[in-house]
Amino acid sequence: MYSDFQKHLQKELQAIEEAGLYKQERIITSPQHAAIRVSTGQEVLNFCANNYLGLSNDKELIKAAKKTLDSHGYGMSSVRFICGTGDLHKELEGKIAEFFGTEDSILYASCFDANGGVFEPLLDENDAIISDALNHASIIDGVRLCKAQRYRYANANMEELEDCLKRAQAQRHRLIVTDGVFSMDGNVAPLDKIYELSKKYNAMIMVDESHSAGVVGRTGRGTTELFKLHGKIEIITGTLGKAFGGAIGGFTTGRKEIIDMLRQRSRPYLFSNSIPPMIAAAGIRMFEMMTENNTLQDKLHANTEYFVAKMKAAGFDIKPTESAICAVMLYDAKLSQIMASKLLDKGIYVIGFYYPVVPKGEARIRVQVSAAHEKEHLDKCITAFTEIGRELGVIA
Ligand SMILES: *Cc1c(COP(=O)(O)O)cnc(C)c1O
């Protein structure tokens, strides 16, 4: 039965490998942090995690999770509407809404699920979804599951968005969808302009704050804080798997009726397990920490500013960034792989990205700065980049 299909897969896998697109996974044997240990025994500085606030191995969050294992057990063994709703899930949903200045929130097992389950219950063939071309894969998949008319505009291109909005006047309701921060360049969506256009053309807005929540805005409340639109956006989605502790979980937060409808009809919510109580408890503690002081956000912002300034001064071509993502442009795919490999030899763990992950001829190394990094870590990274950059002729 299997042999024909096996041959087919072997051929496809070989083609992936020959195209140089086969993804090898590096095995980490320590907790996620600024310095990590990999299975070869090498200690490296981690500059490719989404651990923006350094909370992945935070003592307070670990304490909250451990305590909850004793008080609430291990798993929920149920979806939310049967017997998977705990006091901690409700409390965390309240904390999320408070943080983003919204009316209510709904938890999912991931932001992939939140985005997969947000469109289909709210919109149908009478409506329009207008989506940025660089939106995350989970938004693209979510839109595919929905019957709404689809419009697409080039990344952050407001003329194209306006054109889409004009055409979408033919539909009943319009929803503009954008990532808050685009993960390959680190640029933010121009939410101020999107907001103006949404008022002019009677549209709603959804922002996915996965790479921006905890990171962008002085207190880390995301792009809505950066553009002074706190509480004014209809739908925000986000993850607990990046800046917010890095464990697992996603959410949609926004207008009360929208969240209510998602609880009734959103399929990844209705047909998938609740997050474990310990994750909810750590999430609650995390949002408390975010409001107690601004230490982590301040440190992340200072680290990012320092890193970008030093890299530019060293002569590197850095994409304009307003997040903790710093794209070091190399343009050449092979060069990006060689450089990343040489950096790893020097104990700096970064990833080189090239087509099809980024456009052809726009290969780069993406550096992700964290509040877990100390100045010595940043300096070691900058020095390694500078030495290898000179050796490879990337900088003078
Ligand atoms: C990472 C990411 C997701 C997926 O989040 P998970 O919780 O890991 O599923 C969704 N959207 C964007 C923009 C992301 O960057």
Side-chain angles (χ1 to χ4, degrees), residues 33 53-69 244-245 277-293 296:
H33 205 59
L53 295 173
L55 293 173
S56 300
N57 192 32
D58 183 80
K59 298 282 171 296
E60 291 271 326
L61 301 192
I62 293 168
K63 200 170 92 186
K66 278 184 176 167
K67 210 175 105 202
T68 309
L69 276 173
F244 289 160
M278 62 181 152
I279 302 292
I284 292 164
R285 182 67 200 115
M286 185 276 303
F287 280 109
E288 282 167 8
M289 286 163 64
M290 293 286 98
T291 47
E292 278 163 10
N293 60 57
L296 294 176

Side-chain angles (χ1 to χ4, degrees), residues 50 109-115 135-139 178-183 208-211 237-242 248-251:
N50 303 314
S110 69
C111 186
F112 205 106
D113 279 350
N115 288 336
N135 279 342
H136 190 262
S138 53
I139 293 177
T178 182
D179 281 10
V181 161
F182 295 93
S183 65
D208 179 341
E209 296 275 37
S210 288
H211 277 287
T237 60
T239 180
L240 301 175
K242 290 187 171 114
I248 197 84
F251 56 84

Side-chain angles (χ1 to χ4, degrees), residues 132-133 153-164 190 194 197:
D132 188 292
Y153 59 98
N155 180 228
N157 186 319
M158 294 297 101
E159 286 84 56
E160 284 192 23
L161 171 58
E162 181 156 18
D163 184 54
C164 292
I194 293 173
L197 287 173

Side-chain angles (χ1 to χ4, degrees), residues 183-246:
S183 65
M184 284 300 143
D185 287 7
N187 58 319
V188 297
L191 212 53
D192 50 347
K193 300 197 182 83
I194 293 173
Y195 187 72
E196 286 308 312
L197 287 173
S198 78
K199 283 202 294 192
K200 187 168 170 191
Y201 294 97
N202 190 24
M204 301 177 287
I205 301 176
M206 169 180 147
V207 186
D208 179 341
E209 296 275 37
S210 288
H211 277 287
S212 30
V215 174
V216 172
R218 197 188 65 83
T219 67
R221 279 164 170 78
T223 53
T224 61
E225 179 181 6
L226 187 68
F227 290 106
K228 302 190 170 62
L229 292 168
H230 198 64
K232 290 192 174 162
I233 300 299
E234 283 80 11
I235 304 173
I236 293 172
T237 60
T239 180
L240 301 175
K242 290 187 171 114
F244 289 160

